[in-house]
């Protein structure tokens, strides 16, 4: 769809308002198109209008998306709920997303932020430390990878 491509190109060029306007019009014209709803949600998100993004993310997920887009929609909606202070909803979205996309490290990091907001500091730190140990290219972290992973869920223990 030419208009959708144009809106995505405008967003890439930093013309966020123009892109958003086209996507809102498309979402009104094609309310059952999951990709348009997802792109519209994304356009609100990048403009800092998270509250407006929520219904579009929810609708896109409910209608159904390809795995790549669904993965992005779960991350976007979970993160949006977190920034709006709706931490339990954020947790639910991330847990659904991580059940389907178990290896998505970015989603795990955003989930850890939500856990932090829910005062689940130990679990948040565990997720962050494991991901740091598994993904870091820093030589010193690589040397201590096993120790970091071992202690990741034992931060309150004293030997």
């Amino acid at each position: 769809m030419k208009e959708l491509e144009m809106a995505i190109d405008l967003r890439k060029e930093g013309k966020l308002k123009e892109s958003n306007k086209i996507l809102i019009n498309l979402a009104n014209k094609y309310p059952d198109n999951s990709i348009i709803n997802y792109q519209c949600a994304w356009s609100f998100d990048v403009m800092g209008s998270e509250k407006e993004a929520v219904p579009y993310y929810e609708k896109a997920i409910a209608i159904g998306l390809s795995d790549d887009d669904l993965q992005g929609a779960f991350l976007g909606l979970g993160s949006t709920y977190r920034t709006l202070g709706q931490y339990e909803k954020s947790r639910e979205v991330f847990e659904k997303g991580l059940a389907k996309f178990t290896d998505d490290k970015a989603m795990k990091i955003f989930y850890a932020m939500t856990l932090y907001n829910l005062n689940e500091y130990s679990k948040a730190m565990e997720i962050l430390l494991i991901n740091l140990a598994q993904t870091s290219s820093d030589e010193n972290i690589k040397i201590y990878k096993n120790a970091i992973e071992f202690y990741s869920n034992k931060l309150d223990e004293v030997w």
Side-chain angles (χ1 to χ4, degrees):
M1 179 180 298
K2 190 174 182 178
E3 288 175 286
L4 179 60
E5 290 174 26
M6 182 174 36
I8 292 169
D9 288 342
L10 286 168
R11 182 175 62 224
K12 288 177 184 174
E13 294 169 12
K15 298 176 181 173
L16 304 180
K17 288 182 182 179
E18 296 94 324
S19 172
N20 179 256
K21 185 176 181 178
I22 292 168
L23 288 163
I24 291 169
N25 288 335
L26 285 172
N28 289 333
K29 191 173 181 180
Y30 305 102
D32 295 326
N33 184 308
S34 61
I35 294 173
I36 289 172
N37 277 281
Y38 172 51
Q39 291 295 330
C40 192
W42 187 346
S43 76
F44 277 114
D45 241 354
V46 297
M47 290 180 12
S49 300
E50 287 85 357
K51 197 172 189 176
E52 288 83 355
V54 169
Y56 293 99
Y57 276 130
E58 289 175 339
K59 192 168 191 179
I61 291 169
I63 295 169
L65 292 161
S66 70
D67 277 356
D68 284 344
D69 288 336
L70 183 60
Q71 197 168 359
F74 274 130
L75 197 148
L77 180 58
S79 177
T80 295
Y81 276 140
R82 189 191 75 76
T83 62
L84 294 172
Q86 297 179 28
Y87 306 128
E88 287 298 337
K89 284 185 176 183
S90 176
R91 177 206 304 259
E92 288 174 28
V93 170
F94 283 131
E95 288 176 353
K96 283 180 189 172
L98 287 168
K100 182 158 179 64
F101 304 103
T102 56
D103 295 329
D104 187 329
K105 294 192 183 318
M107 196 178 307
K108 288 178 184 179
I109 299 304
F110 281 90
Y111 177 54
M113 289 184 224
T114 294
L115 293 176
Y116 170 87
N117 292 123
L118 289 166
N119 300 324
E120 294 184 31
Y121 307 119
S122 294
K123 184 67 178 170
M125 280 296 295
E126 178 183 352
I127 292 168
L128 293 174
L129 288 170
I130 294 222
N131 279 280
L132 175 67
Q134 292 176 351
T135 62
S136 181
S137 60
D138 183 272
E139 290 304 318
N140 285 328
I141 290 175
K142 285 180 181 179
I143 291 169
Y144 294 103
K145 177 183 187 286
N146 291 338
I148 292 168
E149 288 178 342
F150 175 79
Y151 290 116
S152 68
N153 64 352
K154 297 169 184 61
L155 295 175
D156 295 318
E157 291 184 31
V158 178
W159 279 269

